[in-house]
Amino acid sequence: MNTPLAGVIGWPINHSKSPNIHKYWLKKHGISGDYHTLSIKPEDFIKELKSLPSMGYVGANVTIPHKEAALANAREVTTRARAIGAANTLVFLPCGGYRADNTDGEGFINNIKQNAPDWDALAGQALVIGAGGAARAILYSLLAEGTPEILLANRTKSRAETLASEFGNRITVIDWADISSATIETKIIVNTTSLGMSGYDELKIDLRCSSQTLVTDIVYVPLQTNLLKEAANKGCVTVSGLGMLLHQAVPGFESWFGIRPIVDESLIRKILKR
Ligand code: ATR
């Protein structure tokens, strides 16, 4: 059998951490596959994607700006990718075409399960900040886990309202100005915006949470955002965003290379070094 190949397709794609993640697991499990970075322009995406299986590719990750096009052109689409409205993991099918999945929500939940095992989705209300692509995956996964109520705040309120109308009546849209007061009764607070990332503005909220509250961020540069630092100072449980990136890669690797890998300390150290 030929060496199975996978890769991440984006435009631009220079700074992706995915090759390091998958190469780490390939080496760890002694699999003679490889994982490449594929820089493909939007106008060439579908044509180039079609040519990959004949070159030995068994699948691919897709990132900005291809996530919606990857969904729209798929032969098969998973329920979660359809609900989230974007694909990040493709598996080429023996009969031609590909199955499109979205593993971001699974990555989000499994990061929390690994790092805050006491968190219980059923225990109470969530507060989600932001209404972009990442928020869609996180809302989907929190609802799938059974979260009874989600407060959703976004700078542009209409985007939050659109998400609430799509994802159903367990979501309540609140004003951006009310985020701080919404932290009081909340069991999990999630920043899905780019605020707090190096070079961006900070997310300024007055956290009124306790040791019963989990605070997590999708931003992982810096690893400990100001939001997480402040949450830790107030005694909240915190989970950083790097694990979401690592865990979202697990299902793709398993589909392509046949082994379900784990996110271990040595992978985390390797990715942090880069
Ligand atoms: P992604 O797909 O990564 O989630 P996105 O769709 O661009 O990216 O969404 C980015 C999120 O960060 C949005 O919720 C955005 O708020 P708007 O919908 O109002 O644009 C939020 N965001 C980005 N910059 C922000 C800022 N300076 N203040 C508040 N929210 C911000």
Side-chain angles (χ1 to χ4, degrees), residues 183-259:
T183 62
I184 297 171
E185 290 295 321
T186 293
K187 298 288 182 213
I188 176 170
I189 300 169
V190 191
N191 175 38
T192 77
T193 74
S194 42
L195 294 172
M197 196 187 298
S198 296
Y200 288 70
D201 291 341
E202 290 297 339
L203 173 61
K204 293 198 183 79
I205 56 176
D206 174 18
L207 286 171
R208 300 176 201 163
C209 49
S210 68
S211 60
Q212 303 301 307
T213 316
L214 170 62
V215 180
T216 185
D217 206 326
I218 67 158
V219 173
Y220 56 85
V221 180
L223 192 60
Q224 295 302 323
T225 58
N226 279 353
L227 175 71
L228 294 184
K229 283 186 196 158
E230 196 190 328
N233 285 340
K234 299 218 157 137
C236 313
V237 179
T238 62
V239 175
S240 81
L242 181 66
M244 177 175 169
L245 173 78
L246 305 179
H247 280 276
Q248 65 76 32
V250 168
F253 188 93
E254 183 179 19
S255 303
W256 306 322
F257 303 115
I259 286 176

Side-chain angles (χ1 to χ4, degrees), residues 75-122:
R75 179 179 286 247
E76 292 176 14
V77 176
T78 62
T79 305
R80 59 192 185 178
R82 174 89 58 215
I84 293 165
N88 72 343
T89 303
L90 314 181
V91 178
F92 293 123
L93 299 168
C95 52
Y98 59 88
R99 182 175 69 246
D101 191 11
N102 190 312
T103 65
D104 284 337
E106 179 178 337
F108 171 77
I109 294 292
N110 286 343
N111 182 35
I112 290 176
K113 287 185 175 169
Q114 181 163 340
N115 293 293
D118 291 339
W119 175 70
D120 175 9
L122 307 179

Side-chain angles (χ1 to χ4, degrees), residues 130-134 154-156 159 176 192-195:
N154 193 49
R155 174 181 61 178
T156 311
R159 284 186 88 190
W176 186 258
T192 77
T193 74
S194 42
L195 294 172

